[in-house]
Amino acid sequence: MDTRILAATNKNLKALIEIGDFREDLYYRLNVFAIESPALRDRPDDIILLAKHYLKVFERRYGKSVAGFTRDAEQALSDYEWPGNIRELINVINRGVILCKDSQLNSIHLGLFPASHGSKPIEPRHHQIVSEEAQTADRLSSWMKDQVALALADPKAMPSLGPWMEEDLILACMASNQEVLNRAAQALDMPESTLRRKVARIRKKYRDGIVQRPANWYSTMPTINGLVQLAASLRQPLLELVSQALIKELESQPIHHQDAARLLGVSLPTYRRLRAPLS
């Protein structure tokens, strides 16, 4: 039988062999013709080209007309190190098009800032010996604190943080899974038919321009890739993970359950049921 095996990895197999986590004999059996795909940060000339391509993709999707990137946006895209590679770039452009109400995308829309201005990107590379999952969990907790604090600052205009999170996580999860519905549905633990219906409804809201978010909503939100990886490592659906983080933060606040339910976007009985496992 004539067979060909294609194998791919984002790990350093030689390093894994040295620590005993990968079989040396298997490595040499597989390593007949190796093709190395450099990380996005190692292909700086491709970043703007890819960004412009996905800008057109999301322009069509949301029915918008954006005439490209401002100079500071291009500088920010080039300065950022892209730890999440192409998937992170796709999410950043997606988010930028959603937020953009101007003729061009700027660095604020993207949530990135040029390093030459003395600022760091929204998610700089960390060199501490801390797992990526732990970093993402910390950022998720910090983000929840910020958003709940903003919401509680104006009780009369208290938003529904839960539905906002669901909408944006669904869109970003679709983007991070290259719009493959069944993969996104699996990550979200949601029936494909339900996800298809929700995606259509959410995108219509964005096209109609009836979606509003706090100023720091996207710039401080953990990357979706990080959240997806965290959910996978915990064997927990993405939406459930983020909802529980929000409930945990709400429970730490001196507010009535009725107000907490409003922030989560659910009824009071539903909120009490959801908070029960965390009590």
Side-chain angles (χ1 to χ4, degrees), residues 147 159-169 212-214 217:
Q147 300 309 324
S160 293
L161 297 179
W164 286 1
M165 287 189 302
E166 180 182 81
E167 290 174 352
D168 290 346
L169 288 171
Q212 294 182 337
R213 300 289 187 265
W217 179 263

Side-chain angles (χ1 to χ4, degrees), residues 78-95:
S78 298
D79 287 344
Y80 190 43
E81 296 190 12
W82 301 107
N85 280 310
I86 185 66
R87 291 186 181 183
E88 185 178 12
L89 175 65
I90 293 171
N91 288 341
V92 166
I93 303 303
N94 186 5
R95 178 172 62 230

Side-chain angles (χ1 to χ4, degrees), residues 189-256:
D189 192 30
M190 183 182 295
E192 287 185 40
S193 57
T194 302
L195 179 58
R196 184 181 293 107
R197 188 168 59 251
K198 284 179 178 286
V199 168
R201 176 178 54 80
I202 296 166
R203 285 178 175 161
K204 184 178 186 304
K205 287 178 66 175
Y206 274 107
R207 284 195 300 270
D208 294 344
I210 57 175
V211 176
Q212 294 182 337
R213 300 289 187 265
N216 74 335
W217 179 263
Y218 294 104
S219 63
T220 60
M221 186 181 188
T223 63
I224 296 302
N225 284 334
L227 289 173
V228 170
Q229 291 168 7
L230 177 62
S233 69
L234 297 175
R235 297 184 179 180
Q236 189 174 4
L238 177 60
L239 291 177
E240 180 182 294
L241 168 73
V242 178
S243 293
Q244 286 187 0
L246 176 55
I247 293 171
K248 185 176 180 180
E249 179 57 32
L250 292 172
E251 286 294 297
S252 72
Q253 299 291 332
I255 58 175
H256 296 296

